[in-house]
């Protein structure tokens, strides 16, 4: 599980947002929505940094991350051909359901794992639309990638500087988007707002983690049935089990 | 070359024991390596009743260390006995150390009685030092009379050896160690985490939902070494040294301070193979330092 990966590229794609392609073992990745945990070689970043997998193939995996603190700052300066110590893959990803019309709902840096979901839906011939929410026009990324899969993509920004103005739920309602199942990833506020609606789907949560593989209980969320470790039983939970 | 050491009730192939709270119930780590290579391990702090623990965020980090405020999340002693230890038995054939916490003396005694029924438990580790629960935990570990009373009553409730895990968050750890030894403790494990906090610079709010948490990792190693060194002078029961051990050199240093065995905590969270790698590295480090038998180096710093 602990493996060395080589950085093939690490480029800025939006405001403080980087896309990194890594070369290494990807054969154990089972589902879209799983994540990796990266060791950042600095005494101030003692814990690993968990980041969702955006895309993967036989030999490479791609992550998209935003610089929020010291760890991601160091990561953003990582040069090509640097070797990184990474635990991969971790967690359970999304379970693809066979329904008629689905919706992918991404908020900010929660957008990346949905790209793998979209690829899987294309493979299975499941019809879907995409809703992406960002703070402003400088934050927007991946819109074109989703479009290239042939999906209808709706982008909204909180300040209205790009696409529609408002949050993702405002957009879903104003556009009257029809869907019978959704996959979502984004800030907890957005996920909780989705759970309050009558929609059914799966949501990928974020949490501060100690280990990332189920040992420390640092990321437990209480759900309707039991507690679940976001890193181990999660990060994806069913909308019906989320406790608000 | 001899790596085996002896703790009350347990002969260990090597002195490496993953610490409570950093190794789950063991079977989680059996996915990564054969956990039978361990000396033993101390399972996740268990209480009489199930506990959900504190709100998240429960984790923060600092230079060369981390803070946690889990709050003793565990499924309760009956579920540990019937479910967790049964799962463990499928992958582990040595004895495990049962780490037990509680809010009242009665809770501790009841939980100890229940867990003592398990044939896989080799010793009880009394957690009187958890800094993250409102009642009990550390409250039992910061007062020598209470610590001694609890130790004595637990000793009466079980036939298993009782190790007492001490808190460093006290003025005089030596007097608590002496008090629990006099009350019948068979060994001492030390130290639990040091209480600390981090504050978010943007919001001005504490990072941990619990405000305070337990600080662990290599940053605390010098503190742990000093406390083990200090207690070694005052008690005659074995000490299990805990605090910031990341590699085999740290193991030797802790044994020099006076530890008979060591527990590996935070290192397991950064690297799931940490305890295995330390065991693999130990013979080579012993050779480098000219050590033939680990038993000969316990307390070397005192000679």
């Amino acid at each position: 599980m602990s493996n060395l990966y080589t950085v093939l590229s690490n480029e800025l794609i939006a405001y403080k947002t980087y896309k990194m392609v890594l070369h290494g073992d990807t054969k154990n990745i089972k589902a879209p929505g799983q994540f990796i945990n990266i060791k950042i070689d600095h005494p101030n970043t003692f814990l690993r940094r968990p980041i969702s997998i955006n895309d993967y193939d036989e030999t490479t995996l791609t992550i998209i991350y935003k610089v929020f603190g010291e760890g991601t700052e160091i990561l953003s300066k990582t040069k090509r051909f640097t070797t990184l110590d990474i635990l991969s893959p971790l967690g359970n990803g999304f379970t693809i359901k066979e329904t008629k019309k689905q919706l992918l709902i991404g908020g900010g840096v929660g957008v990346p794992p949905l790209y793998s979901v979209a690829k899987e839906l294309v493979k299975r011939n499941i019809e879907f639309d995409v809703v992406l929410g960002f703070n402003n026009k400088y934050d927007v990324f991946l819109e074109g990638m989703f479009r290239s899969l042939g999906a209808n993509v709706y982008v909204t920004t909180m300040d209205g500087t790009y696409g529609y103005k408002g949050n993702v739920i405002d957009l879903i309602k104003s556009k009257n988007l029809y869907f019978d199942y959704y996959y979502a990833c984004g800030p907890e506020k957005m996920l909780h707002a989705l759970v309050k609606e009558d929609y059914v789907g799966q949501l990928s949560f974020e949490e501060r983690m100690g280990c990332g593989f189920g040992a420390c209980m640092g990321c437990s969320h209480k759900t309707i049935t039991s507690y679940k470790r976001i890193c181990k039983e999660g990060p994806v939970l069913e909308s019906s089990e989320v406790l608000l | 070359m001899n790596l085996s050491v002896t703790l009350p009730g347990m002969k260990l192939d090597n002195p490496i024991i993953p610490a409570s709270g950093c190794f789950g119930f063991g079977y989680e780590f059996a996915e990564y390596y054969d956990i039978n290579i361990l000396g033993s391990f101390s399972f996740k702090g268990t209480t009489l009743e199930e506990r959900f623990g504190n709100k998240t965020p429960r984790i923060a980090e600092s230079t060369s260390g981390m803070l946690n405020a889990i709050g003793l999340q565990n499924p309760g002693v009956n579920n540990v006995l019937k479910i967790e230890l049964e799962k463990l038995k499928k992958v582990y054939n040595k004895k495990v150390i049962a780490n037990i916490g509680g809010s009242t003396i009665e809770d501790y005694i009841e939980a100890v009685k229940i867990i003592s029924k398990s044939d896989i438990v080799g010793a009880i580790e009394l957690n009187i030092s958890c800094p993250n629960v409102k009642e009990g935990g550390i409250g039992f570990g910061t007062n020598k009379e209470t610590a001694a009373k609890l130790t004595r009553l637990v000793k009466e409730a079980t036939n298993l050896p009782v190790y007492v895990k001490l808190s460093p968050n006290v003025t005089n750890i030596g007097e608590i160690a002496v008090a629990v030894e006099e009350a019948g403790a068979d060994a001492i494990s030390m130290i639990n985490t040091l209480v600390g906090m981090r504050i978010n610079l943007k919001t001005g709010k504490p990072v941990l939902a619990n405000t305070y948490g337990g600080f662990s990792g290599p940053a605390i190693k010098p503190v742990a070494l000093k406390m083990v060194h200090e207690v070694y002078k005052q008690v005659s029961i074995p000490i299990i040294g805990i605090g910031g051990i990341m590699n085999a050199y740290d193991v030797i240093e802790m044994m020099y301070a006076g530890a008979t065995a060591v527990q590996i905590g935070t290192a397991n969270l950064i690297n799931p193979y940490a305890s295995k790698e330390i065991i693999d590295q130990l013979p080579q480090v012993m050779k480098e330092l000219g050590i033939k038998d680990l038993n000969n180096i316990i307390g070397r710093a005192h000679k």
Side-chain angles (χ1 to χ4, degrees), chain B residues 81-98:
Chain B
L81 180 69
K82 286 182 199 129
I83 301 167
E84 304 297 335
L85 293 187
E86 288 309 308
K87 282 191 199 168
L88 173 63
K89 280 180 192 172
K90 289 182 185 141
V91 293
Y92 184 68
N93 52 38
K94 289 184 172 177
K95 296 282 187 190
V96 65
I97 299 169

Side-chain angles (χ1 to χ4, degrees), chain A residues 37-231:
Chain A
N37 215 358
I38 308 175
K39 183 148 179 52
I40 292 170
D41 216 2
H42 192 280
N44 286 1
T45 52
F46 184 68
L47 299 172
R48 289 171 183 264
R49 292 296 184 274
I51 297 173
S52 66
I53 298 170
N54 160 241
D55 194 11
Y56 58 96
D57 59 25
E58 289 75 21
T59 56
T60 68
L61 68 82
T62 304
I63 56 169
I64 293 174
Y65 61 94
K66 191 163 185 171
V67 174
F68 277 113
E70 214 166 353
T72 40
E73 176 77 39
I74 296 169
L75 198 61
S76 73
K77 294 188 174 126
T78 307
K79 297 267 187 306
R80 195 173 179 211
F81 300 132
T82 304
T83 305
L84 294 176
D85 174 347
I86 293 175
L87 304 178
S88 167
L90 298 171
N92 295 311
F94 290 98
T95 309
I96 305 297
K97 294 281 159 78
E98 304 278 342
T99 69
K100 282 205 179 77
K101 179 70 188 270
Q102 308 192 337
L103 189 65
L104 302 186
I105 309 163
V109 277
V111 169
L114 298 177
Y115 181 67
S116 291
V117 178
K119 276 177 64 176
E120 190 60 32
L121 297 184
V122 169
K123 211 186 284 175
R124 298 194 193 199
N125 273 320
I126 297 169
E127 208 184 311
F128 67 97
D129 290 338
V130 181
V131 170
L132 307 177
F134 299 96
N135 279 324
N136 58 57
K137 64 176 176 182
Y138 303 109
D139 286 339
V140 177
F141 63 91
L142 277 192
E143 182 191 2
M145 295 286 282
F146 282 103
R147 284 201 201 284
S148 67
L149 293 175
N152 291 322
V153 183
Y154 302 88
V155 180
T156 181
T157 50
M158 293 308 284
D159 66 357
T161 49
Y162 189 88
Y164 301 89
K165 186 178 179 178
N167 65 36
V168 294
I169 293 173
D170 296 337
L171 184 138
I172 292 167
K173 288 184 174 165
S174 73
K175 287 275 136 190
N176 221 353
L177 295 180
Y178 169 78
F179 59 98
D180 56 13
Y181 201 81
Y182 74 86
Y183 309 91
C185 184
E188 194 170 86
K189 231 184 197 171
M190 176 191 113
L191 301 181
H192 280 177
L194 279 169
V195 171
K196 281 183 196 144
E197 301 292 330
D198 284 337
Y199 317 137
V200 180
Q202 292 167 38
L203 312 98
S204 180
F205 284 82
E206 199 178 55
E207 189 53 78
R208 275 179 183 262
M209 293 177 184
C211 63
F213 50 88
C216 75
M217 308 285 166
C219 62
S220 296
H221 276 205
K222 216 168 176 176
T223 68
I224 284 178
T225 47
S226 62
Y227 57 79
K228 293 202 168 179
R229 294 165 290 187
I230 291 303
C231 72

Side-chain angles (χ1 to χ4, degrees), chain B residues 208-230:
Chain B
L208 296 169
N210 191 52
T211 309
Y212 306 139
F215 186 46
S216 64
I220 74 161
K221 188 181 80 171
V223 179
L225 284 167
K226 182 262 179 187
M227 288 190 163
V228 168
H229 187 269
E230 190 183 344

Side-chain angles (χ1 to χ4, degrees), chain B residues 106-175:
Chain B
E106 292 71 32
D107 280 3
Y108 273 100
I109 291 172
E110 191 57 27
V112 165
K113 278 184 181 165
I114 293 168
I115 209 65
S116 297
K117 292 178 198 158
S118 171
D119 53 9
I120 197 173
V121 173
I124 303 290
E125 181 171 60
L126 274 188
N127 179 3
I128 58 165
S129 44
C130 179
N132 296 324
V133 290
K134 287 200 174 62
E135 296 174 324
I138 202 166
F140 289 97
T142 49
N143 176 303
K144 66 176 178 178
E145 283 83 21
T146 323
K149 184 181 175 194
L150 179 69
T151 305
R152 188 161 39 245
L153 291 170
V154 165
K155 276 294 286 179
E156 284 167 12
T158 181
N159 292 320
L160 291 169
V162 175
Y163 308 165
V164 181
K165 186 167 179 180
L166 299 186
S167 169
N169 304 299
V170 294
T171 312
N172 186 345
I173 197 167
E175 74 176 23

Side-chain angles (χ1 to χ4, degrees), chain A residues 43 47-49 217 220 227, chain B residues 56 58 61 63-64 73 270:
Chain A
L47 299 172
R48 289 171 183 264
R49 292 296 184 274
M217 308 285 166
S220 296
Y227 57 79
Chain B
T56 59
R58 296 174 171 184
E61 74 180 340
T63 307
S64 299
Q73 180 183 335
I270 307 302

